[in-house]
PDB file of all heavy atoms in Angstrom:
ATOM      1  N   VAL A  24       3.093  14.232  -8.561  1.00 94.00           N
ATOM      2  CA  VAL A  24       4.228  14.163  -9.477  1.00 94.00           C
ATOM      3  C   VAL A  24       5.163  13.043  -9.044  1.00 94.00           C
ATOM      4  O   VAL A  24       5.286  12.767  -7.865  1.00 94.00           O
ATOM      5  CB  VAL A  24       5.061  15.466  -9.518  1.00 94.00           C
ATOM      6  CG1 VAL A  24       4.822  16.272 -10.734  1.00 94.00           C
ATOM      7  CG2 VAL A  24       4.919  16.268  -8.287  1.00 94.00           C
ATOM      8  N   GLU A  25       5.808  12.452 -10.013  1.00 96.00           N
ATOM      9  CA  GLU A  25       6.838  11.464  -9.714  1.00 96.00           C
ATOM     10  C   GLU A  25       8.182  12.121  -9.967  1.00 96.00           C
ATOM     11  O   GLU A  25       8.388  12.742 -11.009  1.00 96.00           O
ATOM     12  CB  GLU A  25       6.665  10.235 -10.603  1.00 96.00           C
ATOM     13  CG  GLU A  25       5.398   9.466 -10.296  1.00 96.00           C
ATOM     14  CD  GLU A  25       5.263   8.223 -11.158  1.00 96.00           C
ATOM     15  OE1 GLU A  25       6.275   7.776 -11.740  1.00 96.00           O
ATOM     16  OE2 GLU A  25       4.145   7.709 -11.249  1.00 96.00           O
ATOM     17  N   ILE A  26       9.078  12.009  -8.981  1.00 96.00           N
ATOM     18  CA  ILE A  26      10.417  12.567  -9.133  1.00 96.00           C
ATOM     19  C   ILE A  26      11.434  11.540  -8.661  1.00 96.00           C
ATOM     20  O   ILE A  26      11.132  10.695  -7.813  1.00 96.00           O
ATOM     21  CB  ILE A  26      10.599  13.896  -8.358  1.00 96.00           C
ATOM     22  CG1 ILE A  26      10.411  13.695  -6.861  1.00 96.00           C
ATOM     23  CG2 ILE A  26       9.643  14.951  -8.861  1.00 96.00           C
ATOM     24  CD1 ILE A  26      10.766  14.931  -6.047  1.00 96.00           C
ATOM     25  N   PRO A  27      12.633  11.603  -9.200  1.00 98.00           N
ATOM     26  CA  PRO A  27      13.670  10.659  -8.779  1.00 98.00           C
ATOM     27  C   PRO A  27      14.000  10.827  -7.286  1.00 98.00           C
ATOM     28  O   PRO A  27      13.928  11.930  -6.743  1.00 98.00           O
ATOM     29  CB  PRO A  27      14.879  11.039  -9.640  1.00 98.00           C
ATOM     30  CG  PRO A  27      14.350  11.870 -10.752  1.00 98.00           C
ATOM     31  CD  PRO A  27      13.105  12.506 -10.255  1.00 98.00           C
ATOM     32  N   GLN A  28      14.348   9.732  -6.649  1.00 98.00           N
ATOM     33  CA  GLN A  28      14.669   9.754  -5.220  1.00 98.00           C
ATOM     34  C   GLN A  28      15.780  10.750  -4.899  1.00 98.00           C
ATOM     35  O   GLN A  28      15.735  11.441  -3.886  1.00 98.00           O
ATOM     36  CB  GLN A  28      15.059   8.349  -4.732  1.00 98.00           C
ATOM     37  CG  GLN A  28      15.258   8.266  -3.230  1.00 98.00           C
ATOM     38  CD  GLN A  28      13.975   8.568  -2.457  1.00 98.00           C
ATOM     39  OE1 GLN A  28      12.915   8.033  -2.771  1.00 98.00           O
ATOM     40  NE2 GLN A  28      14.069   9.427  -1.450  1.00 98.00           N
ATOM     41  N   GLU A  29      16.783  10.826  -5.764  1.00 98.00           N
ATOM     42  CA  GLU A  29      17.904  11.742  -5.532  1.00 98.00           C
ATOM     43  C   GLU A  29      17.423  13.198  -5.452  1.00 98.00           C
ATOM     44  O   GLU A  29      17.869  13.961  -4.593  1.00 98.00           O
ATOM     45  CB  GLU A  29      18.936  11.591  -6.650  1.00 98.00           C
ATOM     46  CG  GLU A  29      20.139  12.491  -6.474  1.00 98.00           C
ATOM     47  CD  GLU A  29      21.148  12.300  -7.593  1.00 98.00           C
ATOM     48  OE1 GLU A  29      21.427  11.142  -7.972  1.00 98.00           O
ATOM     49  OE2 GLU A  29      21.656  13.324  -8.087  1.00 98.00           O
ATOM     50  N   LEU A  30      16.492  13.567  -6.328  1.00 97.00           N
ATOM     51  CA  LEU A  30      15.938  14.920  -6.312  1.00 97.00           C
ATOM     52  C   LEU A  30      15.119  15.155  -5.043  1.00 97.00           C
ATOM     53  O   LEU A  30      15.199  16.221  -4.419  1.00 97.00           O
ATOM     54  CB  LEU A  30      15.085  15.141  -7.560  1.00 97.00           C
ATOM     55  CG  LEU A  30      14.521  16.526  -7.789  1.00 97.00           C
ATOM     56  CD1 LEU A  30      15.619  17.575  -7.848  1.00 97.00           C
ATOM     57  CD2 LEU A  30      13.714  16.551  -9.082  1.00 97.00           C
ATOM     58  N   LEU A  31      14.356  14.148  -4.636  1.00 96.00           N
ATOM     59  CA  LEU A  31      13.575  14.255  -3.403  1.00 96.00           C
ATOM     60  C   LEU A  31      14.492  14.392  -2.189  1.00 96.00           C
ATOM     61  O   LEU A  31      14.227  15.192  -1.286  1.00 96.00           O
ATOM     62  CB  LEU A  31      12.667  13.036  -3.256  1.00 96.00           C
ATOM     63  CG  LEU A  31      11.698  13.063  -2.082  1.00 96.00           C
ATOM     64  CD1 LEU A  31      10.773  14.264  -2.143  1.00 96.00           C
ATOM     65  CD2 LEU A  31      10.903  11.770  -2.044  1.00 96.00           C
ATOM     66  N   ASP A  32      15.575  13.646  -2.169  1.00 97.00           N
ATOM     67  CA  ASP A  32      16.543  13.754  -1.071  1.00 97.00           C
ATOM     68  C   ASP A  32      17.135  15.158  -1.002  1.00 97.00           C
ATOM     69  O   ASP A  32      17.265  15.733   0.083  1.00 97.00           O
ATOM     70  CB  ASP A  32      17.656  12.723  -1.232  1.00 97.00           C
ATOM     71  CG  ASP A  32      17.166  11.291  -1.058  1.00 97.00           C
ATOM     72  OD1 ASP A  32      16.073  11.084  -0.488  1.00 97.00           O
ATOM     73  OD2 ASP A  32      17.886  10.376  -1.509  1.00 97.00           O
ATOM     74  N   ASP A  33      17.472  15.724  -2.171  1.00 96.00           N
ATOM     75  CA  ASP A  33      18.001  17.089  -2.210  1.00 96.00           C
ATOM     76  C   ASP A  33      16.963  18.088  -1.705  1.00 96.00           C
ATOM     77  O   ASP A  33      17.286  18.999  -0.940  1.00 96.00           O
ATOM     78  CB  ASP A  33      18.423  17.477  -3.631  1.00 96.00           C
ATOM     79  CG  ASP A  33      19.693  16.775  -4.073  1.00 96.00           C
ATOM     80  OD1 ASP A  33      20.387  16.199  -3.215  1.00 96.00           O
ATOM     81  OD2 ASP A  33      19.987  16.808  -5.289  1.00 96.00           O
ATOM     82  N   LEU A  34      15.727  17.907  -2.124  1.00 96.00           N
ATOM     83  CA  LEU A  34      14.649  18.789  -1.673  1.00 96.00           C
ATOM     84  C   LEU A  34      14.494  18.725  -0.159  1.00 96.00           C
ATOM     85  O   LEU A  34      14.388  19.755   0.518  1.00 96.00           O
ATOM     86  CB  LEU A  34      13.337  18.390  -2.359  1.00 96.00           C
ATOM     87  CG  LEU A  34      12.090  19.162  -1.936  1.00 96.00           C
ATOM     88  CD1 LEU A  34      12.150  20.586  -2.462  1.00 96.00           C
ATOM     89  CD2 LEU A  34      10.844  18.462  -2.423  1.00 96.00           C
ATOM     90  N   ASP A  35      14.494  17.518   0.372  1.00 96.00           N
ATOM     91  CA  ASP A  35      14.288  17.330   1.807  1.00 96.00           C
ATOM     92  C   ASP A  35      15.383  17.979   2.657  1.00 96.00           C
ATOM     93  O   ASP A  35      15.147  18.303   3.822  1.00 96.00           O
ATOM     94  CB  ASP A  35      14.173  15.843   2.138  1.00 96.00           C
ATOM     95  CG  ASP A  35      12.828  15.262   1.745  1.00 96.00           C
ATOM     96  OD1 ASP A  35      11.879  16.046   1.511  1.00 96.00           O
ATOM     97  OD2 ASP A  35      12.719  14.020   1.658  1.00 96.00           O
ATOM     98  N   GLU A  36      16.548  18.187   2.084  1.00 95.00           N
ATOM     99  CA  GLU A  36      17.613  18.866   2.831  1.00 95.00           C
ATOM    100  C   GLU A  36      17.256  20.322   3.136  1.00 95.00           C
ATOM    101  O   GLU A  36      17.834  20.932   4.030  1.00 95.00           O
ATOM    102  CB  GLU A  36      18.924  18.813   2.044  1.00 95.00           C
ATOM    103  CG  GLU A  36      19.541  17.435   1.988  1.00 95.00           C
ATOM    104  CD  GLU A  36      20.849  17.421   1.214  1.00 95.00           C
ATOM    105  OE1 GLU A  36      21.435  18.506   1.005  1.00 95.00           O
ATOM    106  OE2 GLU A  36      21.281  16.318   0.833  1.00 95.00           O
ATOM    107  N   HIS A  37      16.290  20.860   2.407  1.00 96.00           N
ATOM    108  CA  HIS A  37      15.893  22.266   2.569  1.00 96.00           C
ATOM    109  C   HIS A  37      14.549  22.416   3.283  1.00 96.00           C
ATOM    110  O   HIS A  37      14.020  23.517   3.389  1.00 96.00           O
ATOM    111  CB  HIS A  37      15.817  22.945   1.195  1.00 96.00           C
ATOM    112  CG  HIS A  37      17.115  22.917   0.472  1.00 96.00           C
ATOM    113  ND1 HIS A  37      18.151  23.764   0.773  1.00 96.00           N
ATOM    114  CD2 HIS A  37      17.559  22.119  -0.536  1.00 96.00           C
ATOM    115  CE1 HIS A  37      19.172  23.509  -0.027  1.00 96.00           C
ATOM    116  NE2 HIS A  37      18.843  22.506  -0.820  1.00 96.00           N
ATOM    117  N   VAL A  38      13.997  21.322   3.772  1.00 97.00           N
ATOM    118  CA  VAL A  38      12.685  21.318   4.406  1.00 97.00           C
ATOM    119  C   VAL A  38      12.824  20.932   5.872  1.00 97.00           C
ATOM    120  O   VAL A  38      13.629  20.093   6.232  1.00 97.00           O
ATOM    121  CB  VAL A  38      11.740  20.323   3.688  1.00 97.00           C
ATOM    122  CG1 VAL A  38      10.417  20.201   4.422  1.00 97.00           C
ATOM    123  CG2 VAL A  38      11.511  20.745   2.240  1.00 97.00           C
ATOM    124  N   GLY A  39      12.017  21.586   6.723  1.00 93.00           N
ATOM    125  CA  GLY A  39      11.988  21.221   8.138  1.00 93.00           C
ATOM    126  C   GLY A  39      12.507  22.327   9.025  1.00 93.00           C
ATOM    127  O   GLY A  39      12.726  23.461   8.597  1.00 93.00           O
ATOM    128  N   ASP A  40      12.699  22.009  10.295  1.00 91.00           N
ATOM    129  CA  ASP A  40      13.091  22.995  11.295  1.00 91.00           C
ATOM    130  C   ASP A  40      14.383  23.726  10.938  1.00 91.00           C
ATOM    131  O   ASP A  40      14.504  24.921  11.176  1.00 91.00           O
ATOM    132  CB  ASP A  40      13.250  22.335  12.670  1.00 91.00           C
ATOM    133  CG  ASP A  40      11.914  21.843  13.216  1.00 91.00           C
ATOM    134  OD1 ASP A  40      10.865  22.362  12.791  1.00 91.00           O
ATOM    135  OD2 ASP A  40      11.932  20.926  14.059  1.00 91.00           O
ATOM    136  N   ASP A  41      15.340  23.031  10.374  1.00 89.00           N
ATOM    137  CA  ASP A  41      16.624  23.652  10.021  1.00 89.00           C
ATOM    138  C   ASP A  41      16.686  24.090   8.562  1.00 89.00           C
ATOM    139  O   ASP A  41      17.712  24.594   8.116  1.00 89.00           O
ATOM    140  CB  ASP A  41      17.775  22.689  10.308  1.00 89.00           C
ATOM    141  CG  ASP A  41      17.896  22.375  11.794  1.00 89.00           C
ATOM    142  OD1 ASP A  41      17.559  23.257  12.605  1.00 89.00           O
ATOM    143  OD2 ASP A  41      18.312  21.244  12.127  1.00 89.00           O
ATOM    144  N   GLY A  42      15.599  23.892   7.824  1.00 91.00           N
ATOM    145  CA  GLY A  42      15.598  24.201   6.397  1.00 91.00           C
ATOM    146  C   GLY A  42      14.959  25.536   6.076  1.00 91.00           C
ATOM    147  O   GLY A  42      14.501  26.275   6.955  1.00 91.00           O
ATOM    148  N   LYS A  43      14.934  25.849   4.816  1.00 94.00           N
ATOM    149  CA  LYS A  43      14.371  27.105   4.335  1.00 94.00           C
ATOM    150  C   LYS A  43      12.858  27.043   4.216  1.00 94.00           C
ATOM    151  O   LYS A  43      12.203  28.075   4.145  1.00 94.00           O
ATOM    152  CB  LYS A  43      14.962  27.447   2.964  1.00 94.00           C
ATOM    153  CG  LYS A  43      16.459  27.615   2.950  1.00 94.00           C
ATOM    154  CD  LYS A  43      16.958  27.753   1.504  1.00 94.00           C
ATOM    155  CE  LYS A  43      18.452  27.612   1.422  1.00 94.00           C
ATOM    156  NZ  LYS A  43      18.918  26.230   1.462  1.00 94.00           N
ATOM    157  N   PHE A  44      12.284  25.837   4.142  1.00 97.00           N
ATOM    158  CA  PHE A  44      10.859  25.663   3.893  1.00 97.00           C
ATOM    159  C   PHE A  44      10.211  24.844   4.998  1.00 97.00           C
ATOM    160  O   PHE A  44      10.832  23.961   5.576  1.00 97.00           O
ATOM    161  CB  PHE A  44      10.631  24.971   2.547  1.00 97.00           C
ATOM    162  CG  PHE A  44      11.256  25.716   1.399  1.00 97.00           C
ATOM    163  CD1 PHE A  44      12.466  25.302   0.871  1.00 97.00           C
ATOM    164  CD2 PHE A  44      10.649  26.833   0.868  1.00 97.00           C
ATOM    165  CE1 PHE A  44      13.058  25.982  -0.180  1.00 97.00           C
ATOM    166  CE2 PHE A  44      11.230  27.529  -0.185  1.00 97.00           C
ATOM    167  CZ  PHE A  44      12.441  27.109  -0.711  1.00 97.00           C
ATOM    168  N   VAL A  45       8.946  25.118   5.250  1.00 96.00           N
ATOM    169  CA  VAL A  45       8.193  24.431   6.301  1.00 96.00           C
ATOM    170  C   VAL A  45       7.915  22.977   5.913  1.00 96.00           C
ATOM    171  O   VAL A  45       7.989  22.078   6.745  1.00 96.00           O
ATOM    172  CB  VAL A  45       6.864  25.172   6.567  1.00 96.00           C
ATOM    173  CG1 VAL A  45       6.003  24.427   7.566  1.00 96.00           C
ATOM    174  CG2 VAL A  45       7.129  26.588   7.034  1.00 96.00           C
ATOM    175  N   ASN A  46       7.577  22.775   4.635  1.00 96.00           N
ATOM    176  CA  ASN A  46       7.244  21.432   4.168  1.00 96.00           C
ATOM    177  C   ASN A  46       7.550  21.317   2.671  1.00 96.00           C
ATOM    178  O   ASN A  46       7.918  22.299   2.027  1.00 96.00           O
ATOM    179  CB  ASN A  46       5.776  21.087   4.466  1.00 96.00           C
ATOM    180  CG  ASN A  46       4.822  22.133   3.917  1.00 96.00           C
ATOM    181  OD1 ASN A  46       4.973  22.591   2.788  1.00 96.00           O
ATOM    182  ND2 ASN A  46       3.840  22.522   4.719  1.00 96.00           N
ATOM    183  N   ARG A  47       7.390  20.134   2.140  1.00 96.00           N
ATOM    184  CA  ARG A  47       7.681  19.908   0.723  1.00 96.00           C
ATOM    185  C   ARG A  47       6.800  20.765  -0.179  1.00 96.00           C
ATOM    186  O   ARG A  47       7.259  21.305  -1.181  1.00 96.00           O
ATOM    187  CB  ARG A  47       7.469  18.437   0.360  1.00 96.00           C
ATOM    188  CG  ARG A  47       8.543  17.515   0.884  1.00 96.00           C
ATOM    189  CD  ARG A  47       8.183  16.093   0.538  1.00 96.00           C
ATOM    190  NE  ARG A  47       9.240  15.160   0.946  1.00 96.00           N
ATOM    191  CZ  ARG A  47       9.091  13.842   0.922  1.00 96.00           C
ATOM    192  NH1 ARG A  47       7.950  13.310   0.512  1.00 96.00           N
ATOM    193  NH2 ARG A  47      10.082  13.064   1.305  1.00 96.00           N
ATOM    194  N   SER A  48       5.526  20.873   0.159  1.00 96.00           N
ATOM    195  CA  SER A  48       4.610  21.663  -0.671  1.00 96.00           C
ATOM    196  C   SER A  48       5.067  23.110  -0.773  1.00 96.00           C
ATOM    197  O   SER A  48       5.036  23.705  -1.859  1.00 96.00           O
ATOM    198  CB  SER A  48       3.186  21.603  -0.102  1.00 96.00           C
ATOM    199  OG  SER A  48       2.656  20.312  -0.235  1.00 96.00           O
ATOM    200  N   ASP A  49       5.470  23.665   0.346  1.00 96.00           N
ATOM    201  CA  ASP A  49       5.972  25.046   0.358  1.00 96.00           C
ATOM    202  C   ASP A  49       7.204  25.186  -0.537  1.00 96.00           C
ATOM    203  O   ASP A  49       7.321  26.132  -1.320  1.00 96.00           O
ATOM    204  CB  ASP A  49       6.298  25.448   1.798  1.00 96.00           C
ATOM    205  CG  ASP A  49       6.701  26.894   1.937  1.00 96.00           C
ATOM    206  OD1 ASP A  49       6.109  27.762   1.265  1.00 96.00           O
ATOM    207  OD2 ASP A  49       7.615  27.161   2.747  1.00 96.00           O
TER     208      ASP A  49
END
């Protein structure tokens, strides 16, 4: 999927060690 960078940046704030999700796919 293609998504705007701003949306991807918002998503990434919730991904990772300090986020709610393990990875983007999750």
